[in-house]
Amino acid sequence: SACTRSNSNRAAIGHLQRQRYGRLYPLLLVSTDGSTVRLRYGEPKRILMMPLDSNTLPEAERKARLRRQFPRKPKAKEEETFEGIDLDTYKKFWKK
């Protein structure tokens, strides 16, 4: 019977194939059709959603999603000018 002695070199070679972080966290994976799968993931997250392929969507829904993702910038409001205001009507509010 051959007896193998375990030393530090054997331990270093035997553990090269292990993962960097051995702990896996429970995760809920949601696919694009709405189905869910429970699996174990290396990072602590609760839900991971698969990205939706916009090429498979109808044209109207694809444009609606793009509008929600990139809303329009608000238009700049015009500045108020005091050219058309009669100052004599407000004379009573001025302090003397």
Side-chain angles (χ1 to χ4, degrees), residues 1 22 27 33 39 41 46-52 58-60 65 80 86 89 93 95-96:
S1 75
L27 176 86
D33 63 349
L39 52 97
Y41 194 63
R46 291 189 186 266
I47 295 177
L48 185 67
M49 296 182 71
M50 298 296 290
L52 184 66
E59 187 69 23
R65 282 182 172 270
E80 295 182 14
D86 184 22
T89 56
F93 298 113
K95 291 184 180 178
K96 294 184 181 180

Side-chain angles (χ1 to χ4, degrees), residues 12 17 32 35 38 40 42 52 54 63-64 74-75 79 85 87:
Q17 298 299 320
T32 55
S35 61
R38 291 194 178 274
R40 300 191 62 74
L52 184 66
S54 62
K63 285 185 178 182
K75 294 181 180 178
E79 295 182 13
I85 297 176
L87 295 178

